Amino acid sequence: GAVVSQHPSRVICKSGTSVKIECRSLDFQATTMFWYRQFPKQSLMLMATSNEGSKATYEQGVEKDKFLINHASLTLSTLTVTSAHPEDSSFYICSANRDRSLYEQYFGPGTRLTVT
Amino acid sequence: GEDVEQSLFLSVREGDSSVINCTYTDSSSTYLYWYKQEPGAGLQLLTYIFSNMDMKQDQRLTVLLNKKDKHLSLRIADTQTGDSAIYFCAEKPKAAGNKLTFGGGTRVLVKP
């Protein structure tokens, strides 16, 4: 299967600071990537669709000014959590569709964010 | 509407078969997926089935799709302790582009 990486795997930050999470497709190009949030023992909640070279599409209820998404290349999307608060603590997972087989969506290993 | 449901928990003995069930509501879904998540990790794509298929087999995994009842199942033969994880089914509704809708996940515990 295709490989998607995320960095960092874990991050602890103080309230009010910003944190950037990277999502990379290592062996394929991905015009579209997705960012999810997962609370403990719950399913994945889609936050936004990241589109290479254009603005991200946010799901209803997700603050675009708080969760900044940049998809600057065909292999990299970044999620920046701005002015983080303890309630932003969560597991953030990205995924990517291979451009040549859009029905296969591959997930990164996730980033555990803890805001103190 | 979009709603994917799964049972919360399944306990199975090592060597037995596991069957995880899922129901979905969007009949336009073109693909249906099974993902596995181990503790603290991302999701691993196990298998998927196209909506015009009834069954797909891949080694120990068998996916059955009943489009009429909107029911999807995953059978794991000869379940091993390494199969203990959370299993998510997901649908890709036609109108949603490449977005997936996930079920709540089924926690599978394999006992020796």
Side-chain angles (χ1 to χ4, degrees):
Chain A
V3 179
V4 176
S5 72
Q6 280 183 243
H7 178 79
S9 56
R10 289 180 178 271
V11 58
I12 301 172
C13 70
K14 293 187 176 180
S15 285
T17 61
S18 295
V19 174
K20 181 186 282 188
I21 303 169
E22 293 185 348
C23 176
R24 292 182 186 274
S25 55
L26 296 185
D27 54 356
F28 65 98
Q29 293 186 334
T31 305
T32 304
M33 292 183 174
F34 301 90
W35 286 97
Y36 294 84
R37 185 172 178 177
Q38 186 180 32
F39 291 103
K41 297 186 179 180
Q42 293 189 27
S43 188
L44 282 74
M45 181 192 82
L46 179 65
M47 298 174 65
T49 303
S50 173
N51 305 297
E52 188 266 337
S54 64
K55 291 183 180 179
T57 306
Y58 290 82
E59 295 300 301
Q60 193 171 7
V62 178
E63 298 176 59
K64 61 181 181 181
D65 294 331
K66 180 165 184 62
F67 298 100
L68 300 179
I69 291 172
N70 187 307
H71 194 149
S73 77
L74 287 171
T75 58
L76 174 64
S77 175
T78 60
L79 168 69
T80 301
V81 183
T82 62
S83 187
H85 290 283
E87 56 265 31
D88 297 326
S89 298
S90 191
F91 194 53
Y92 293 86
I93 308 177
C94 72
S95 69
N97 275 111
R98 294 169 76 126
D99 279 355
R100 288 190 292 175
S101 55
L102 293 177
Y103 48 86
E104 294 178 8
Q105 191 169 124
Y106 295 93
F107 284 76
T111 297
R112 171 79 55 196
L113 170 64
T114 303
V115 184
T116 60
Chain B
E2 298 175 355
D3 197 7
V4 181
E5 295 189 354
Q6 301 176 238
S7 53
L8 286 177
F9 182 75
L10 174 68
S11 179
V12 63
R13 288 206 175 277
E14 191 174 15
D16 289 349
S17 293
S18 309
V19 179
I20 308 167
N21 295 302
C22 171
T23 57
Y24 61 99
T25 56
D26 196 321
S27 57
S28 76
S29 290
T30 49
Y31 289 94
L32 295 125
Y33 302 82
W34 284 104
Y35 284 89
K36 176 184 179 183
Q37 185 179 36
E38 298 186 41
L43 273 67
Q44 174 193 354
L45 176 62
L46 285 179
T47 187
Y48 60 89
I49 188 168
F50 188 48
S51 59
N52 69 351
M53 298 169 66
D54 298 323
M55 185 184 86
K56 180 178 180 180
Q57 187 158 0
D58 184 1
Q59 299 182 334
R60 292 192 296 125
L61 305 178
T62 303
V63 179
L64 295 179
L65 175 60
N66 182 327
K67 270 194 89 172
K68 177 175 168 289
D69 295 338
K70 298 190 188 71
H71 183 265
L72 182 73
S73 69
L74 175 69
R75 178 177 179 270
I76 306 173
D78 187 25
T79 312
Q80 304 296 308
T81 54
D83 295 325
S84 292
I86 301 176
Y87 291 80
F88 291 95
C89 68
E91 63 174 345
K92 180 188 279 195
K94 197 172 183 180
N98 290 321
K99 292 196 286 188
L100 301 182
T101 302
F102 284 87
T106 299
R107 183 177 296 273
V108 173
L109 177 64
V110 182
K111 296 182 178 178

